[in-house]
């Protein structure tokens, strides 16, 4: 055992802890300059990674190379580091990844990981001595900081590994033949694990999976329904379950209680549960962020308060803002003099060996020093630094809880700071020592809240309507974007719905909000609450107006938090939903959204559960007029519908005009053949006939033009005579007008002047994209080519 060492930050009469960079007399191979070089190189690599992530010194080339197959050529270390930089600092699409800045303590922890890896290459005796020194010092500091004196500690990377090994220790304790017989040892008396239904199911599943236990070993304990918090374990129900299991021949093994439930941060009645566990010889294990409150008070090294639990797991890495630190499971030493243990003892004392059998003793002969990063972090922080970091986290929750609890439409689900009476504050808890159960009840490790509907006084609100789940999701996303200074998680509780959660004990040091940040966050929250309340108030009016409209249909949008969705559908269309009608309806609503977005960006295109498009309404302010917005949709929809009909009518006229012109040209060409004679069209002979008897200029096939304004196919002799298109009726009175075309045939019986005029006015004088041309080929055939532009006056030139 190493000599006594003072806790970090405390003064001691004993000699100061020697620097680990100083050489050990037992070894001549360990030199301080080697450690220094490793520390400098690790620090330089971290700095390069930070620069690349911030875009200061981007990497190029090497990280893009595939690494599926190992190359034959050796790579230099600088090239390998550059590849790692690219992999870490760029995503799959080679875009830079934003990372949080690294503080000095985090940098020191990263460097200590490199030093711990270096120590693996040392002599076994030196490695064992280092491991023993760091682990012993760290255990003494941790037990002193959290008031669990004379406890043993197990350090592990997986957060649940400590609980797994504690449970395995209890299996060995309750079933003496477990080491020899394995699962056969408890076939006649199944071991039982008790956990609250408010705790994550994955915890007990992980236990059963790693210990080879069936899920039948898990006894879910209900939460309180009448007295106390509805998120904490019902101790009376726990007592009843333990009694039932003992009567049925089952073996109660361990109770897992929460000091800060996973989402809401509530604390179980630890004092009553501890008494129940002692009576029935059941192990009590505590978990949760609320355990960090133990570090707020000064614990006496002599005459300490007896622990209220058998074991608990500390997430120091999370609480200190450095996830690279290992978790710690503290467990009490076995006391053979305990009456309950003396009653269950077998021949000979074997309890002291149970932690070793269960793997709860850190192997000092191992090839890895797990405790070195945490040892260096606590040395750098000192007692005051650890105390300050945890105190700031609890202060942040206390401030935010008090700031948002005043809003009527916000339900705060987390535990109230200061207890039920709210008389204690974090500062008072630090200055006025209280007992441990009171300490847990007066501190709050997280703030969980949600936006709720209006409720009457005395009315109890359970799970919010599904629409409010979408509103809370929207609120969380907006706050994450507009007020990132207070990081929020969007969670879901089975009996409550979607909630927003703030837990400062899970944040890094740079993310911990200040008082000004919390005030700015609350102002942003207040603005969004005004929008949410206005949207909820307008939604009832919105639904009534849409149901009363003959051309608007309400559309359910499961994932949309805005006012809702409507589909513009002309009367009678939804009774004939063929594939063609659906396509036209989708095109109509897409054109409607495009037009509306030029007026207000609150409109967007959505898709209903039936796959048809609709108009989505976003969030509204109190000044918004829902009736005016819906009238705008109807008005624009009618305009888009009318334009669509005019274009359809025009397309029909163009099609019929082309068919009419084609038939006329074919007929006139046949007549010309008979009039001119067939000899003119015979090769060689035709050339001689035409020379002997030239054709008249007036002979030949006249072209055709389609007048969209009048819906008439006309011959084109006037166009080529006057070299311009002249509309009939456009020549002033008293002047000589052009002669009437020799051929005029109407097309499209229902064509009207108003429809063509609407089309012309909607084009605003621009040329249409549609093009039509009919030409006579040299080999007496007729071909159609879409090339001539449709003019603004509504005529189509054909030849």
């Amino acid at each position: 055992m190493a000599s006594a060492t003072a806790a970090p930050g405390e003064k001691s009469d004993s000699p100061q802890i020697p620097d680990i960079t100083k050489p050990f007399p037992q070894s001549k191979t360990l030199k301080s300059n080697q450690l220094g070089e490793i520390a400098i190189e690790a620090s330089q690599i971290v700095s390069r990674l930070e620069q690349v992530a911030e875009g200061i010194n981007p990497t190029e080339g090497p990280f893009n190379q595939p690494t599926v197959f190992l190359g034959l050529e050796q790579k230099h270390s600088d090239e390998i580091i550059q590849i790692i930089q690219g992999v870490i600092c760029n995503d799959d699409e080679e875009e830079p990844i934003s990372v949080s800045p690294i503080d000095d303590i985090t940098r020191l922890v990263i460097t200590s990981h490199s030093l711990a890896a270096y120590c693996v290459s040392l002599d076994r005796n030196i490695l064992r001595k280092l491991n023993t020194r760091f682990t012993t010092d760290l255990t003494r500091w941790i037990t002193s900081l959290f008031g669990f004196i004379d406890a043993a500690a197990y350090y592990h990377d997986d957060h649940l590994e400590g609980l797994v090994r504690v449970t395995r220790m209890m299996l060995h304790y309750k079933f003496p033949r477990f080491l020899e017989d394995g699962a056969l040892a408890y076939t006649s008396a199944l071991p039982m694990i008790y956990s609250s239904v408010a705790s994550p199911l994955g915890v007990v599943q992980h236990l059963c999976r790693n210990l080879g236990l069936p899920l039948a070993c898990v006894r879910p304990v209900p939460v309180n329904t009448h007295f106390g918090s509805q998120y904490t374990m019902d101790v009376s129900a726990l007592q009843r379950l333990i009694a039932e299991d003992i009567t049925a021949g089952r073996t109660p093994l361990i109770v897992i209680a929460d000091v800060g439930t996973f989402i809401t941060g509530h604390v179980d009645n630890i004092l009553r549960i501890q008494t129940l566990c002692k009576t029935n010889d059941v192990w009590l294990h505590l978990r949760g962020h609320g355990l960090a409150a133990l570090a707020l008070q000064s614990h006496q090294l002599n005459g300490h308060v007896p622990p209220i639990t058998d074991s608990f797991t500390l997430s120091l890495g999370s609480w200190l803002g450095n996830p690279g630190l290992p978790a710690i499971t503290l467990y009490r030493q076995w006391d053979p003099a305990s009456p309950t243990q003396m009653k269950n003892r077998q021949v000979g004392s074997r309890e002291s060996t149970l932690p070793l059998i269960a793997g709860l003793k850190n192997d000092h002969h191992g090839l890895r020093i797990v405790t070195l990063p945490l040892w260096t972090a606590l040395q750098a922080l000192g007692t005051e630094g650890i105390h300050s970091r945890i105190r700031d986290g609890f202060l942040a929750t206390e401030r935010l809880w008090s700031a948002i609890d005043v809003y009527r439409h916000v339900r705060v689900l987390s535990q109230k700071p200061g207890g039920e009476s709210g008389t204690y504050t974090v500062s008072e808890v630090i200055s006025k020592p209280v007992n441990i159960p009171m300490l847990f009840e007066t501190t709050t490790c997280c703030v969980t809240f949600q936006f709720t509907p209006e409720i009457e006084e005395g009315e109890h609100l359970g799970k919010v309507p599904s629409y409010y789940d979408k509103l809370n999701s929207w609120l969380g996303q907006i706050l994450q974007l507009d007020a990132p200074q207070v990081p929020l998680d969007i969670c879901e509780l089975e009996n409550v719905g979607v909630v927003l959660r703030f837990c400062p004990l899970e944040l890094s040091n740079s993310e911990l909000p200040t008082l000004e940040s919390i005030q700015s966050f609350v102002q942003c929250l207040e603005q969004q609450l005004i929008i949410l309340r206005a949207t909820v108030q307008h939604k009832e009016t919105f639904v009534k107006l849409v149901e009363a409209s003959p051309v608007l249909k309400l559309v359910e949008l499961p994932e949309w938090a805005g006012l809702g969705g409507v589909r513009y559908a002309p009367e009678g269309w939804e009774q004939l939903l063929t594939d063609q009608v659906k396509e036209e309806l989708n095109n109509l609503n897409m054109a409607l959204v495009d037009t509306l977005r030029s007026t207000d960006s609150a409109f967007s295109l959505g898709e209903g559960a039936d796959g048809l498009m609709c108009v989505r309404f976003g969030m509204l302010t109190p000044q918004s007029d829902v009736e005016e917005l819906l009238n705008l949709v109807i008005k624009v929809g009618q305009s888009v519908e009318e334009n669509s009909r005019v274009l359809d009518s025009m397309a029909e006229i163009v099609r019929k005009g082309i068919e009419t012109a084609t038939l006329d040209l074919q007929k006139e060409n046949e007549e010309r053949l008979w009039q001119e004679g067939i000899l003119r069209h015979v090769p060689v002979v035709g050339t001689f006939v035409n020379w002997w008897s030239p054709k008249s200029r007036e002979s030949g096939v006249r072209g055709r033009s389609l007048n969209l304004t009048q819906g008439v196919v006309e011959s084109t002799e006037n166009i080529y005579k006057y070299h311009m298109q002249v509309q009939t009726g456009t020549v002033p009175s008293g002047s000589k007008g052009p002669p009437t075309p020799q051929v005029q045939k109407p097309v499209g019986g229902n064509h009207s002047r108003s429809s063509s005029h609407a089309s012309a006015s909607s084009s605003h004088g621009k040329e249409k994209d549609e093009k039509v041309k009919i030409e006579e080929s040299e080999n007496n055939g007729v071909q159609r080519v879409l090339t001539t532009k449709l003019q603004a006056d509504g005529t189509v030139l054909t030849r």
Side-chain angles (χ1 to χ4, degrees):
M1 182 67 68
S3 60
T5 306
E10 296 181 358
K11 294 183 179 180
S12 175
D13 296 333
S14 60
Q16 294 295 323
I17 300 174
D19 190 351
I20 62 172
T21 60
K22 293 182 179 180
F24 286 89
Q26 292 86 347
S27 174
K28 297 180 181 180
T29 59
L30 180 59
K31 297 181 180 180
S32 59
N33 59 343
Q34 292 178 327
L35 293 177
E37 290 174 0
I38 293 174
I40 293 173
E41 185 174 355
S43 180
Q44 289 176 348
I45 293 175
V46 172
S47 299
R48 290 168 61 184
L49 290 175
E50 286 183 289
Q51 292 178 358
V52 172
E54 295 172 359
I56 299 176
N57 184 24
T59 58
E60 296 180 358
F63 68 88
N64 294 323
Q65 298 177 358
T67 56
V68 178
F69 300 101
L70 182 63
L72 298 178
E73 298 180 355
Q74 298 178 353
K75 286 186 173 65
H76 192 269
S77 58
D78 292 339
E79 185 180 359
I80 297 174
I81 294 299
Q82 191 176 6
I83 295 175
I84 297 175
Q85 289 179 196
V87 173
I88 293 177
C89 301
N90 295 273
D91 57 14
D92 295 336
E93 298 179 356
E94 300 180 9
E95 294 293 332
I97 299 175
S98 60
V99 295
S100 301
I102 298 177
D103 56 17
D104 294 337
I105 295 178
T106 304
R107 189 184 301 274
L108 179 61
V109 169
I110 296 174
T111 303
S112 65
H113 277 286
S114 301
L115 296 176
Y118 169 78
C119 292
V120 175
S121 62
L122 301 178
D123 183 76
R124 281 295 184 91
N125 292 329
I126 298 178
L127 180 62
R128 178 180 56 82
K129 180 175 181 178
L130 291 173
N131 216 338
T132 303
R133 168 65 182 277
F134 295 142
T135 304
T136 303
D137 289 348
L138 195 56
T139 300
R140 185 177 294 108
W141 298 342
I142 295 298
T143 54
S144 175
L145 282 171
F146 291 90
F148 203 174
I149 309 300
D150 297 332
Y154 173 66
Y155 304 92
H156 47 94
D157 294 322
D158 190 321
H159 184 72
L160 295 177
E161 184 61 26
L163 177 59
V164 170
R165 302 203 178 198
V166 165
T167 308
R168 182 183 290 119
M169 180 180 66
M170 289 305 298
L171 284 173
H172 286 287
Y173 171 66
K174 291 286 187 176
F175 302 95
R177 296 286 304 174
F178 180 66
L179 182 63
E180 294 81 7
D181 300 340
L184 297 176
Y186 51 76
T187 52
S188 58
L190 204 64
M192 305 307 296
I193 301 171
Y194 303 89
S195 178
S196 172
V197 295
S199 298
L201 181 61
V203 174
V204 290
Q205 288 179 336
H206 183 83
L207 270 180
C208 294
R209 185 165 53 250
N210 283 268
L211 296 174
L213 299 175
L215 288 178
C217 294
V218 178
R219 290 284 265 174
V221 184
V223 295
N224 292 317
T225 54
H226 301 292
F227 303 100
S229 169
Q230 60 177 340
Y231 304 102
T232 58
M233 184 185 299
D234 187 345
V235 183
S236 299
L238 173 64
Q239 184 177 7
R240 183 173 62 254
L241 292 174
I242 293 176
E244 291 176 359
D245 290 335
I246 294 176
T247 303
R250 293 183 285 266
T251 304
L253 195 68
I254 185 173
V255 175
I256 305 172
D258 290 307
V259 182
T261 52
F262 180 64
I263 295 180
T264 57
H266 286 259
V267 180
D268 293 332
N269 193 330
I270 304 301
L271 201 57
R272 288 187 58 193
I273 296 176
Q274 182 198 26
T275 303
L276 182 61
C277 289
K278 283 185 176 180
T279 303
N280 295 278
D281 195 20
V282 181
W283 190 273
L284 175 60
H285 181 84
L286 302 182
R287 59 183 300 273
H289 291 313
L291 291 168
L294 292 172
L296 295 177
Q297 292 189 325
S298 299
H299 303 283
Q300 297 295 330
L301 296 179
N302 299 321
H304 64 277
V305 179
I308 62 170
T309 182
D310 297 313
S311 64
F312 56 80
T313 300
L314 303 175
S315 304
L316 264 185
S318 174
W319 302 342
L320 300 180
N322 196 317
L325 300 177
I328 310 166
T329 296
L330 296 179
Y331 58 96
R332 64 172 174 82
Q333 302 280 11
W334 286 90
D335 182 12
S338 173
T340 56
Q341 294 185 26
M342 290 293 294
K343 180 178 64 176
N344 293 280
R345 283 178 57 191
Q346 304 297 319
V347 178
S349 176
R350 53 187 298 274
E351 287 80 3
S352 58
T353 63
L354 293 179
L356 181 62
I357 297 174
L360 277 170
K361 295 290 186 179
N362 285 96
D363 186 10
H364 294 169
H365 298 274
L367 298 179
R368 185 184 174 200
I369 306 180
V370 182
T371 55
L372 179 56
L374 184 58
W375 188 89
T376 57
L378 296 190
Q379 286 273 49
L381 286 169
T383 304
E384 180 58 31
I386 300 171
H387 180 273
S388 175
R389 175 64 176 82
I390 295 177
R391 179 195 61 204
D392 292 344
F394 282 109
L395 280 174
T397 57
E398 182 180 276
R399 292 166 179 168
L400 184 60
W401 199 101
S402 303
I404 66 176
D405 187 51
V406 298
Y407 295 105
R408 185 176 57 178
H409 292 273
V410 173
R411 174 168 62 173
V412 184
L413 302 167
S414 52
Q415 179 174 281
K416 183 178 181 180
E420 292 298 328
S421 60
T423 55
Y424 289 92
T425 63
V426 174
S427 301
E428 291 176 346
V429 167
I430 296 173
S431 59
K432 302 175 182 178
V434 296
N435 57 43
I436 293 179
M438 179 64 69
L439 178 66
F440 290 154
E441 293 176 4
T442 54
T443 53
T444 302
C445 60
C446 65
V447 179
T448 307
F449 62 97
Q450 67 174 174
F451 175 72
T452 59
E454 186 77 32
I455 58 175
E456 302 294 335
E457 186 176 355
E459 180 182 358
H460 176 71
L461 178 63
K463 187 173 182 178
V464 297
S466 58
Y467 177 60
Y468 280 81
D469 285 341
K470 293 180 283 188
L471 293 177
N472 280 287
S473 297
W474 177 87
L475 176 61
Q477 295 172 20
I478 292 297
L479 291 175
Q480 287 174 343
L481 292 174
D482 295 348
Q485 61 269 25
V486 178
L488 293 178
D489 295 322
I490 303 176
C491 309
E492 185 172 1
L493 287 172
E494 182 179 0
N495 58 339
V496 173
V498 175
V499 296
L500 308 181
R501 176 177 177 266
F502 165 68
C503 184
L505 294 176
E506 295 178 357
L507 304 177
S508 63
N509 294 325
S510 61
E511 295 176 324
L512 200 63
T514 61
L515 178 59
E516 293 75 14
S517 299
I518 293 177
Q519 292 174 349
S520 176
F521 170 84
V522 173
Q523 292 177 0
C524 181
L525 173 64
E526 185 175 1
Q527 295 173 0
Q528 304 309 322
L529 290 177
I530 295 175
I531 295 176
L532 287 173
R533 288 198 297 266
T535 302
V536 171
Q537 293 170 0
H538 289 318
K539 189 173 182 63
E540 184 177 355
T541 306
F542 173 79
V543 173
K544 290 180 180 179
L545 292 175
V546 172
E547 291 177 346
S549 174
V551 294
L552 296 181
K553 307 299 178 184
L554 193 64
V555 179
E556 291 295 331
L557 301 173
E559 302 300 328
W560 185 247
L563 193 63
V566 296
R567 180 180 298 120
Y568 181 84
E571 295 186 62
W573 280 39
E574 292 202 340
Q575 280 69 34
L576 299 171
L577 284 180
T578 61
D579 292 341
Q580 182 179 359
V581 172
K582 289 181 179 180
E583 184 178 356
E584 293 179 358
L585 196 59
N586 283 339
N587 293 335
L588 179 60
N589 280 273
M590 286 190 289
L592 173 59
V593 171
D594 290 340
T595 307
L596 288 172
R597 285 190 64 84
S598 62
T599 305
D600 193 338
S601 60
F603 297 103
S604 60
L605 183 64
E607 183 178 352
D610 53 1
L612 297 179
M613 298 299 173
C614 66
V615 181
R616 291 191 305 190
F617 285 71
M619 311 300 287
L620 300 184
T621 61
Q623 295 77 24
S624 302
D625 190 338
V626 178
E627 185 174 5
E628 181 180 349
L629 292 174
L630 290 175
N631 289 336
L632 176 62
V633 173
I634 296 174
K635 181 180 177 180
V636 175
Q638 290 174 346
S639 175
V640 173
E641 179 189 358
E642 181 65 23
N643 291 338
S644 176
R645 288 177 178 175
V646 169
L647 291 176
D648 292 342
S649 176
M650 186 181 299
E652 183 67 17
I653 292 172
V654 171
R655 185 183 64 83
K656 291 183 178 180
I658 293 173
E659 294 176 355
T660 303
T662 302
L663 293 175
D664 284 352
L665 291 174
Q666 288 177 347
K667 184 177 180 180
E668 191 170 342
N669 188 53
E670 292 173 358
E671 291 177 357
R672 183 175 63 87
L673 287 175
W674 286 109
Q675 291 175 1
E676 294 179 352
I678 299 178
L679 290 177
R680 290 185 181 273
H681 302 278
V682 177
V684 181
V685 177
T687 303
F688 178 75
V689 172
N690 289 332
W691 173 77
W692 182 264
S693 177
K695 292 186 294 184
S696 173
R697 285 178 173 268
E698 299 296 329
S699 63
V701 179
R702 296 177 178 85
R704 298 293 187 272
S705 67
L706 175 59
N707 191 326
L708 293 177
T709 305
Q710 298 179 358
V712 175
V713 174
E714 303 173 337
S715 56
T716 59
E717 65 271 10
N718 288 338
I719 296 175
Y720 291 98
K721 182 177 181 180
Y722 296 101
H723 301 287
M724 62 182 298
Q725 290 180 325
V726 182
Q727 291 287 342
T728 304
T730 59
V731 180
S733 60
S735 61
K736 186 179 179 180
T740 303
Q742 295 182 11
V743 179
Q744 281 189 328
K745 283 191 177 182
V747 294
N750 295 329
H751 182 66
S752 65
R753 168 72 179 172
S754 60
S755 62
S756 297
H757 178 69
S759 175
S761 62
S762 65
S763 65
H764 299 288
K766 296 180 180 179
E767 293 180 347
K768 300 297 183 179
D769 292 334
E770 301 181 20
K771 304 172 182 180
V772 179
K773 183 179 181 181
I774 304 177
E775 291 186 350
E776 179 185 3
S777 64
E778 293 297 333
N779 56 357
N780 300 328
V782 178
Q783 60 179 355
R784 293 184 299 173
V785 185
L786 299 177
T787 56
T788 305
K789 294 184 178 179
L790 176 61
Q791 304 298 320
D793 59 2
T795 60
V796 178
L797 176 62
T798 64
R799 253 189 100 184

